[in-house]
């Protein structure tokens, strides 16, 4: 059985993908303790079952499966990582821990990273634009976040601390405050509690897109919204398209002098006014510093100096000529046609190849007749044994006994 569990809770846009890729690469090693990462990519489905109503029915099954893996392992430490825990009520997680992970009560640690307010607004704007969740400008998103108190961090992090006490740690996603200026190194330092470790660096993951990248995706998502129905499967397919297209784009060479999203001066001052108190509370309660020296307060205060004088253009027409817009329109309509026809298949097909192959293996255990091509041969091999078993059950018990050795050989 695993010795302890470390829950990596996010937040979103704090290097979670790089941390998860490093853990999944199985390159992390320490002479002092062993580590297991019981996921192929991340534990987002596990976290989603605690905050998405349509997935709540899977919560017990997913936590039970996690417990099964942890009981089978002899590793010193297991890491469970999902940025989607940001949206989870910590009491819901605590309830599932009591139900499925009680053998590790008192042997768990929890860690979150928090990106400063202004930076988080910019990164959220890019993230929601690329996934098709936001088509407007950054000012509109700021007003929406303000209304929903989305960037008021103090109450949320205090809730985690109230639930898990001293086992909960919050770290600022500020380069100067991270070990070696790197979030992966900083996280592993937390996991191994300062002991020596090594890992193979992975390529930078989920890098922010340029303004022209976002404008192109904005154009395609506008077409997708117009040309497809709005149901859960189709929204999921649109989201998957934006997520995976962004990964592909971020891996390609960038045009010279390509701009990234930034606050404009007027918005930056409004952000400072809206969140200065929240930043001061987090700095005081979690980092033991006042607003003059705390990492969130200092980052917030510097936002206006890093802003542009005027708002950056977001319309696709500002970046692409008529022929390019025509191509984007056609691309959007083609993706809309394919998503509308079979959203589930599109989701699987747009995933990275490693995750596609995992999906195929699972599909092989499904209903007969759903698989095509080479995989159907595997099913065909098992079919006679199944038929023979059905026939055997119709025979008298004495005959069945005599046939058992033959059945074992054939199976």
């Amino acid at each position: 059985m695993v010795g302890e569990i470390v829950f990596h809770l996010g937040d979103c846009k704090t290097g979670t993908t790089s941390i998860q890729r490093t853990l999944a690469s199985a390159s992390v090693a320490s002479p002092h303790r062993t580590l297991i990462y019981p996921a192929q990519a991340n534990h987002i489905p596990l976290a989603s079952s605690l905050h998405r109503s349509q997935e709540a029915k899977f919560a017990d099954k997913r936590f039970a499966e996690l417990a099964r893996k942890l009981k089978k392992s002899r590793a010193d430490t297991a890491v469970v990582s999902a940025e989607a825990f940001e949206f989870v009520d910590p009491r819901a997680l605590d309830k599932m821990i009591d139900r499925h992970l009680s053998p590790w009560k008192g042997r768990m640690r929890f860690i979150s990273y928090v990106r400063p307010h202004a930076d988080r607004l910019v990164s959220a704007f890019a993230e929601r634009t690329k996934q098709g969740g936001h088509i407007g400008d950054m000012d509109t998103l700021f007003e929406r976040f303000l209304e929903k108190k989305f960037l008021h961090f103090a109450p949320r992090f205090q809730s985690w601390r109230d639930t898990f006490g001293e086992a909960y740690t919050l770290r600022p996603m500020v380069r100067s405050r991270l070990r070696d200026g790197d979030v992966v190194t900083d996280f592993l330092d937390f996991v191994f509690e300062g002991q020596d470790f090594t890992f193979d660096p992975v390529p930078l993951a989920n890098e922010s897109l340029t303004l022209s990248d976002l404008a192109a995706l904005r154009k395609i998502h506008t077409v997708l919204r117009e040309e497809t129905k709005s149901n859960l499967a189709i929204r999921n397919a649109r989201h998957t398209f934006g997520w995976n297209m962004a990964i592909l784009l971020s891996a390609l060479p960038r045009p010279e002098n390509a701009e990234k999203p930034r606050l404009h001066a007027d918005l930056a001052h409004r952000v400072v006014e809206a969140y200065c108190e929240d930043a001061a509370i987090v700095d005081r309660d979690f980092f033991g510093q006042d607003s003059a020296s705390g990492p969130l307060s200092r980052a917030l205060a510097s936002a206006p100096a890093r802003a542009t004088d005027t708002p950056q253009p977001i319309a696709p027409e500002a970046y692409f000529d008529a022929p390019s817009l025509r191509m984007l329109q056609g691309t959007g309509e083609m993706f809309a046609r394919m998503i509308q026809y079979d959203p589930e298949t599109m989701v699987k097909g747009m995933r990275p190849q490693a995750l596609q192959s995992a999906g195929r293996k699972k599909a092989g255990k499904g209903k007969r007749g759903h698989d095509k091509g080479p995989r159907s041969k595997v099913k065909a091999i098992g079919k006679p044994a199944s038929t023979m078993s059905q026939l055997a059950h119709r025979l008298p018990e004495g005959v069945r006994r005599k046939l058992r050795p033959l059945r074992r050989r054939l199976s």
Side-chain angles (χ1 to χ4, degrees):
M1 188 171 80
V2 160
E4 68 161 356
I5 306 172
V6 172
F7 278 89
H8 175 216
L9 307 169
D11 279 356
C12 298
K13 308 309 296 179
T14 59
T16 52
T17 304
S18 294
I19 290 172
Q20 290 157 358
R21 286 187 177 181
T22 300
L23 292 168
S25 72
S27 68
V28 180
S30 170
H32 304 289
R33 64 176 79 177
T34 52
L35 183 71
I36 181 177
Y37 182 56
Q40 186 173 26
N42 54 55
H43 293 92
I44 287 177
L46 188 78
S48 296
S49 66
L50 298 182
H51 77 92
R52 300 183 66 180
S53 57
Q54 63 269 29
E55 296 197 39
K57 60 187 176 182
F58 303 118
D60 282 305
K61 179 181 178 181
R62 290 170 182 173
F63 274 87
E65 175 62 16
L66 173 63
R68 186 188 66 79
K69 292 178 180 178
L70 299 183
K71 287 176 182 176
K72 287 177 62 178
S73 172
R74 294 184 179 180
D76 297 308
T77 303
V79 175
V80 175
S81 175
E83 55 269 42
F85 279 117
E86 173 183 345
F87 310 109
V88 169
D89 184 334
R91 293 169 298 182
L93 176 58
D94 194 37
K95 180 179 178 181
M96 297 307 290
I97 288 172
D98 283 337
R99 188 177 298 176
H100 296 286
L101 304 176
S102 58
W104 293 277
K105 272 282 195 177
R107 292 185 290 156
M108 294 182 179
R109 291 182 287 140
F110 305 80
I111 183 170
S112 300
Y113 286 83
V114 55
R115 181 178 284 274
H117 299 78
D119 294 342
R120 181 64 193 272
L121 174 61
V122 175
S123 63
F125 169 76
E127 188 76 6
R128 296 189 180 209
T129 299
K130 80 182 185 185
Q131 295 176 7
H134 181 69
I135 303 297
D137 57 22
M138 206 179 301
D139 295 70
T140 306
L141 190 64
F142 165 73
E143 295 295 341
R144 185 193 302 175
F145 281 176
L146 199 58
E147 180 183 354
K148 295 185 176 182
K149 297 186 179 298
F150 181 71
L151 295 184
H152 283 82
F153 297 138
R156 176 162 61 87
F157 293 132
Q158 188 58 54
S159 180
W160 283 100
R161 176 178 280 180
D162 290 344
T163 304
F164 296 109
E166 294 301 315
Y168 177 71
T169 296
L170 179 66
R171 297 278 290 142
M173 184 62 182
V174 176
R175 189 177 295 276
S176 62
R177 299 289 295 265
L178 302 174
R179 177 175 166 179
D180 298 340
D182 174 62
V183 70
V184 177
T185 304
D186 192 86
F187 173 73
L188 293 176
D189 184 64
F190 172 84
V191 169
F192 292 109
E193 299 181 284
Q195 295 177 317
D196 295 338
F197 61 86
T198 60
F199 68 96
D200 295 334
V202 298
L204 290 176
N206 202 16
E207 286 192 87
S208 57
L209 299 180
T210 67
L211 284 169
S212 59
D213 292 335
L214 292 174
L217 289 172
R218 182 189 302 274
K219 176 66 175 177
I220 294 175
H221 276 300
T222 300
V223 176
L224 292 179
R225 285 188 173 197
E226 293 171 349
E227 299 292 329
T228 59
K229 297 176 182 178
S230 184
N231 59 45
L232 180 60
I234 288 177
R235 287 197 301 273
N236 187 36
R238 295 195 305 234
H239 169 98
T240 303
F241 160 76
W243 174 263
N244 287 285
M245 180 63 80
I247 291 175
L248 294 175
L249 288 173
S250 65
L252 298 174
R254 299 176 185 272
E256 288 187 19
N257 303 319
E259 284 191 84
K260 291 184 179 181
R262 293 164 62 190
L263 296 175
H264 60 85
D266 177 66
L267 179 57
H269 285 292
R270 283 185 281 151
V271 170
V272 172
E273 182 181 357
Y275 298 112
C276 61
E277 183 179 354
D278 185 70
I281 294 172
V282 175
D283 284 336
R284 181 195 68 206
D285 293 350
F286 289 90
F287 307 134
Q289 295 181 281
D290 59 26
S291 57
S293 58
L296 294 196
S297 296
R298 293 186 65 182
L300 186 61
S302 69
R306 294 180 282 121
T308 62
D309 293 333
T310 58
Q312 296 169 313
I314 62 170
E317 292 76 13
Y319 299 93
F320 302 104
D321 59 17
S324 299
L325 290 171
R326 177 172 173 269
M327 180 61 71
L328 289 172
Q329 177 75 28
T331 300
E333 291 184 8
M334 178 58 72
F335 271 107
R337 184 182 298 176
M338 292 188 290
I339 288 173
Q340 189 71 53
Y341 179 74
D342 193 340
E344 287 82 6
T345 298
M346 283 293 291
V347 165
K348 292 177 183 177
M350 290 185 288
R351 287 172 179 163
Q353 194 167 8
L355 296 182
Q356 288 182 21
S357 60
R360 291 193 187 106
K361 288 176 184 177
K362 290 179 181 178
K365 299 177 182 179
K367 294 181 180 179
R368 186 173 56 200
H370 281 242
D371 285 32
K372 305 291 183 182
R375 295 196 304 282
S376 62
K377 294 179 181 178
V378 176
K379 284 189 167 292
I381 292 171
K383 189 174 179 180
S386 176
T387 304
M388 184 178 70
S389 178
Q390 292 174 15
L391 290 172
H393 279 293
R394 300 178 185 177
L395 297 173
E397 174 60 28
V399 178
R400 288 208 303 268
R401 250 196 319 267
K402 293 179 181 179
L403 287 176
R404 274 172 194 159
L406 177 62
R407 287 174 57 197
R408 289 195 193 100
R409 283 190 177 186
L410 291 175
S411 62

